Amino acid sequence: MKKSIKNLFFKNLKAIVAVAMISFFSVSNSRAQETKGQTMVSSETVTATVVQVNQKTREVTIKTKDGKEHSFIAGDNVKNLAQVKKGDIITAVYTEAIAYEVREHGTTGVQTTTAVAAAKPGEKPAGAVAQQTTVTVLITAIDPKVPTVTFMGPRGNKETIKVRDPKNLNGVKVGDKVDITYTEALAMKVDEAPKK
């Protein structure tokens, strides 16, 4: 699985870096000069109620807030399915963040870290998985008249992007490195049905 995620990442690396650089050079000038970076975070929470659990087939049926029912088979990685009962509430939170930081020193490259956590045996099912990838690119050219920035990625690929506000180039120079960190995480938990 790690290999397929890594392959998918590298297939989309050029697009990710281009979008990140465009976003970076679109931040306000005072923010860019003050910290030479920015972080943007987005999170979505979804809840559903357990309608039925078949422990033998591992089929779970849930109902979302809009009244729709969905069924799925809980895989073997769900260790505490026996703890799930009708009426329990499942909460899933998906979060993604992208952060940028301009710095003068260092090398280009890619670093990926993955973390996984799960509930202890006997507890209600819960778990989380997160992956964080940092790509460091080198600014190779700046054209303030157009305005554009050209950068080179860790594999030697070059990309030129248009800068929305030329003022955001203040304090940024050829030779600077830009760390672009993309993080995504999914956390799920099951809570007991509310007491009536």
Side-chain angles (χ1 to χ4, degrees):
M1 182 172 156
K2 278 187 182 179
K3 194 169 190 171
S4 66
I5 290 172
K6 194 172 188 177
N7 288 340
L8 179 63
F9 173 77
F10 278 114
K11 284 181 184 177
N12 296 310
L13 179 62
K14 186 175 177 181
I16 291 169
V17 171
V19 168
M21 292 295 289
I22 289 167
S23 297
F24 174 74
F25 288 109
S26 298
V27 299
S28 71
N29 185 35
S30 61
R31 173 93 175 156
Q33 285 186 9
E34 182 184 325
T35 63
K36 287 195 176 183
Q38 179 183 11
T39 301
M40 293 177 287
V41 179
S42 175
S43 189
E44 175 105 18
T45 301
V46 178
T47 59
T49 303
V50 176
V51 175
Q52 180 179 332
V53 181
N54 183 325
Q55 295 293 339
K56 289 183 182 177
T57 64
R58 300 182 66 84
E59 183 177 12
V60 179
T61 302
I62 60 172
K63 183 186 282 188
T64 55
K65 286 185 178 184
D66 62 7
K68 293 182 181 176
E69 289 191 4
H70 306 274
S71 295
F72 61 91
I73 303 297
D76 293 336
N77 56 339
V78 179
K79 302 293 182 199
N80 297 333
L81 187 61
Q83 307 303 321
V84 179
K85 308 291 184 227
K86 181 179 179 178
D88 285 351
I89 304 298
I90 298 175
T91 304
V93 179
Y94 175 76
T95 303
E96 63 183 345
I98 192 158
Y100 320 89
E101 181 181 3
V102 177
R103 58 188 172 85
E104 293 182 5
H105 305 288
T107 59
T108 61
V110 177
Q111 181 178 358
T112 300
T113 306
T114 303
V116 178
K120 296 177 184 174
E123 294 180 346
K124 289 280 190 184
V129 61
Q131 181 169 309
Q132 183 175 73
T133 301
T134 299
V135 178
T136 303
V137 299
L138 171 69
I139 296 176
T140 59
I142 299 173
D143 184 343
K145 293 177 184 173
V146 176
T148 60
V149 172
T150 302
F151 60 88
M152 182 172 59
R155 291 191 169 177
N157 55 312
K158 288 193 175 187
E159 184 74 26
T160 299
I161 59 158
K162 186 162 177 56
V163 178
R164 291 182 191 166
D165 184 353
K167 292 177 189 172
N168 292 332
L169 293 174
N170 292 344
V172 178
K173 63 187 180 309
V174 170
D176 281 350
K177 309 297 186 306
V178 180
D179 291 332
I180 304 162
T181 301
Y182 177 72
T183 306
E184 63 181 341
L186 176 63
M188 296 182 75
K189 68 176 184 165
V190 177
D191 291 311
E192 285 187 21
K195 306 285 186 214
K196 293 186 179 184

